[in-house]
Amino acid sequence: MTHLHSYIVAYDSGFAPNPFGGYCTLATCKPNIREYANIGDWVVGTGSNDSKIKRGGHIVYAMKITEAVSFNCYWNDPRFQRKKPNLNSSYAKACGDNIYHQESDKTWFQMDSYHSNKDGSANPSHVKRDTGVDRVLISDNYVYFGAEGPLLPEELQSSIVLKGRGRKKISDETTISKFEKWLRELNLSGYQGKPYDMIKEAKK
């Protein structure tokens, strides 16, 4: 049975999710979704209704999960080497999410990234939260709008959009079918728009 997992993307930076390199990946944050979402499920992120952002009800991204792998598998997979971050490179490269692997002594290595300390050292709280679920969600069937996504239809707002923190798990087949139909009719896929933070950074 297909489920839809909805949440509010409080920080749309291109890091979590990471929509670059031909795959949408969720490798950090949202441990409950990373643990319980299954292959074939949808993960849908909607915009923040914060007074500075005002994107509540707008879709940020939707990914249909096609793979789920461990951090070590993600780290070593040739397809995802481009998702290892370089904070001194392009915006897309800087927000890479392929940041974890386990050393031989089972300790976790964290690359200098958006989840590190400012000096590049590992941030223990992020390491603990991210690696508490050793699972990365991957999709090659996704659409990412970032800060430029459309408003979800009114009939889907109440059933899909989460109010507050956490996640909303939707199992109703009719609701999921209506969402899939709406998304399909947009006739768009892959990376479509810039993350909110990327736009904000360009305006500085």
Side-chain angles (χ1 to χ4, degrees), residues 27 77 112 153 157:
D77 194 314
D112 187 7
Q157 289 272 341

Side-chain angles (χ1 to χ4, degrees), residues 37 39 65-70 135-138:
I39 292 174
I65 302 166
T66 52
E67 294 179 69
V69 300
S70 69
R135 196 163 184 252
V136 179
L137 302 182
I138 301 168

Side-chain angles (χ1 to χ4, degrees), residues 112-124:
D112 187 7
S113 63
Y114 280 11
H115 267 192
S116 309
N117 292 320
K118 289 184 178 180
D119 64 359
S121 62
N123 182 309

Side-chain angles (χ1 to χ4, degrees), residues 1-203:
M1 181 178 182
T2 299
H3 302 285
L4 188 152
H5 308 264
S6 170
Y7 73 102
I8 294 172
V9 183
Y11 303 101
D12 177 28
S13 64
F15 177 67
N18 182 294
F20 302 110
Y23 295 88
C24 189
T25 50
L26 192 61
T28 63
C29 306
K30 310 314 297 182
N32 286 340
I33 291 178
R34 287 191 291 114
E35 182 172 8
Y36 295 112
N38 295 313
I39 292 174
D41 284 359
W42 285 98
V43 179
V44 176
T46 59
S48 170
N49 209 28
D50 182 276
S51 60
K52 294 180 181 179
I53 299 175
K54 298 179 180 178
R55 296 292 295 171
H58 290 76
I59 187 168
V60 175
Y61 80 105
M63 62 185 280
K64 192 164 191 177
I65 302 166
T66 52
E67 294 179 69
V69 300
S70 69
F71 282 116
N72 279 359
C73 287
Y74 189 50
W75 177 266
N76 291 311
D77 194 314
R79 295 174 297 168
F80 306 119
Q81 298 309 298
R82 68 182 69 182
K83 285 182 179 271
K84 290 181 178 176
N86 180 344
L87 298 181
N88 297 313
S89 187
S90 66
Y91 186 97
K93 190 69 175 175
C95 59
D97 68 348
N98 191 356
I99 64 174
Y100 291 113
H101 72 270
Q102 271 188 309
E103 306 280 16
S104 58
D105 62 359
K106 301 300 181 182
T107 59
W108 286 101
F109 170 83
Q110 181 192 66
M111 279 191 76
D112 187 7
S113 63
Y114 280 11
H115 267 192
S116 309
N117 292 320
K118 289 184 178 180
D119 64 359
S121 62
N123 182 309
S125 62
H126 281 311
V127 172
K128 182 178 180 180
R129 178 174 170 80
D130 292 339
T131 63
V133 175
D134 187 6
R135 196 163 184 252
V136 179
L137 302 182
I138 301 168
S139 177
D140 59 7
N141 180 6
Y142 73 97
V143 59
Y144 176 87
F145 296 102
E148 302 166 326
L151 191 67
L152 278 165
E154 188 173 345
E155 64 175 328
L156 293 175
Q157 289 272 341
S158 60
S159 55
I160 289 180
V161 178
L162 176 68
K163 306 295 184 184
R165 296 184 177 184
R167 65 166 176 146
K168 187 174 187 179
K169 182 179 178 181
I170 296 144
S171 303
D172 181 68
E173 294 181 5
T174 300
T175 298
I176 295 173
S177 292
K178 286 181 178 179
F179 172 77
E180 290 176 331
K181 181 176 183 293
W182 172 77
L183 193 65
R184 187 166 57 249
E185 288 176 349
L186 294 178
N187 197 29
L188 297 169
S189 64
Y191 180 84
Q192 296 294 321
K194 297 176 181 178
Y196 179 87
D197 285 0
M198 187 177 184
I199 294 174
K200 184 173 69 173
E201 186 69 25
K203 290 180 178 178

